[in-house]
Amino acid sequence: MLNRRNFLTAAVGVVAATGLAACAKEDDSSSSSDSGSGGGKKLVLGFSQVGSESGWRSANTDSVKEAAKEAGYTLKFSDAQQKQENQISAIRSYITQGVDVIAFSPVVVTGWDAVLKEAKAKKIPVVLTDRSVETSDESLFVTLVGSDFTDEGRRAAKILEKVLEKAGHKGPVKIAQLEGTTGAAPAIERAKGFKEVMDADHADDWKIVVSQTGDFTRAGGKQVMAAFLQSNPDIDVLFAHNDDMGIGAIQAIEAAGKKPGKDILIVTVDGVKDGFIAMSEGKINAIVECNPLLGPQLMEVVQKVKDGETVERWIKTEESDFMQDQAKAALPTRKY
Ligand code: GYE
């Protein structure tokens, strides 16, 4: 079932999730469309986005906005700039405004119960999108529309096997890991899935020698990779939890006089256009796709929830994996 929510690492404890963020900055831009269903009252959807940290996120935001317009909903959209207190205050404001449905992509997994209980008390259904939460009360959200991040981690390890074979790499494999935002579902679960395969099949030859968060940003990836190269100049492989951190890391690798994709083999997650460009230039060796175009599916679910229909607990996204030799052919048809 929803195994994404069934584990927690100590790391998530560092996130101070209090629900008391009275001073949170809310960037609430209300957008509505005149097209759509016509006639009756438009469905009002309050959406709290994580931020604009990556190419994935921009594509996701565009998809949500377009799909809401297409569906003829009134969308109240806010960008939390990767801060939980901003998301909590946006959700509170949607509750006060009495929107029909709240959807949000939680920046971290813990610390949502208080605000979700407030929504429940006002009978406003909550749909999670992209990322999941950890909660003791399953009734606090209706469903999750998003990817299986643990599986993405497993797929990354599996595709790394192919990358190593193709590169003719023999012997021990020293791996550097650039983690996503600390406490975020995709960071926890991609690391978990990767380690699962590593422990099961490569306990003797693979080792994660350094692992740190780059917060899913290019700047973070560049800075942390530069530090990795200082402490561990003999890294063989980089596993980055998203393309943007991988692209930042490529800059650090080049600045250190090494060849990304050759001296250091690189596997990333997402599959955004810039990731595919780096892959077609030979700098990324493989990408595990994570589809951000969740808007249409989300709007469908929101309508069903509003209409009181039953929906599945987890509506998963379908995805593929890409090796470098597929990059050039796939690039023109990439939609994000
Ligand atoms: O992989 C990363 C973004 O939650 C799946 O968040 C999303 C992740 C995505 O910042 O690029």
Side-chain angles (χ1 to χ4, degrees), residues 3-122:
N3 52 5
R4 286 177 55 165
R5 294 174 297 103
N6 291 345
F7 62 90
L8 243 188
T9 65
V12 298
V14 302
V15 178
T18 63
L20 298 171
C23 59
K25 181 175 161 274
E26 197 177 323
D27 166 27
D28 190 276
S29 60
S30 204
S31 79
S32 60
S33 159
D34 292 331
S35 65
S37 46
K41 208 173 141 276
K42 280 183 185 174
L43 187 154
V44 181
L45 172 66
F47 184 90
S48 168
Q49 181 59 289
V50 171
S52 42
E53 73 282 0
S54 64
W56 191 100
R57 190 63 54 196
S58 316
N60 180 250
T61 292
D62 291 349
S63 172
V64 168
K65 287 184 174 171
E66 268 165 40
K69 199 169 173 192
E70 189 74 12
Y73 301 165
T74 296
L75 176 69
K76 293 177 178 294
F77 181 91
S78 60
D79 174 340
Q81 298 167 338
Q82 297 240 71
K83 293 199 175 69
Q84 183 171 37
E85 66 265 31
N86 291 350
Q87 286 202 292
I88 289 172
S89 106
I91 294 167
R92 286 224 165 98
S93 130
Y94 298 147
I95 297 170
T96 311
Q97 293 171 54
V99 301
D100 294 311
V101 180
I102 292 172
F104 80 114
S105 174
V107 59
V108 290
V109 290
T110 53
W112 302 102
D113 279 21
V115 74
L116 294 181
K117 278 181 187 148
E118 292 168 31
K120 192 181 174 188
K122 288 274 155 54

Side-chain angles (χ1 to χ4, degrees), residues 180-236:
T181 303
T182 304
I188 298 168
E189 294 164 20
R190 285 171 187 165
K192 180 186 177 247
F194 187 89
K195 193 169 177 300
E196 200 181 287
V197 173
M198 190 173 89
D199 290 350
D201 302 337
H202 298 283
D204 299 333
D205 52 342
W206 294 12
K207 189 167 183 225
I208 296 182
V209 292
V210 269
S211 185
Q212 213 179 294
T213 180
D215 211 13
F216 278 133
T217 66
R218 277 185 202 203
K222 185 176 178 186
Q223 198 191 334
V224 176
M225 190 68 200
F228 282 175
L229 290 166
Q230 291 277 331
S231 60
N232 297 70
D234 54 351
I235 291 164
D236 301 305

Side-chain angles (χ1 to χ4, degrees), residues 53-54 56-57 105 130-131 149 186 190 216 241-242 244 269-270 290:
E53 73 282 0
S54 64
W56 191 100
R57 190 63 54 196
S105 174
D130 161 33
R131 300 182 182 179
F149 300 137
R190 285 171 187 165
F216 278 133
H241 287 184
N242 78 343
D244 283 85
V269 186
D270 274 359
C290 176

Side-chain angles (χ1 to χ4, degrees), residues 232-252:
N232 297 70
D234 54 351
I235 291 164
D236 301 305
V237 165
L238 169 66
F239 168 40
H241 287 184
N242 78 343
D243 292 341
D244 283 85
M245 291 191 295
I247 291 165
I250 286 169
Q251 293 169 15

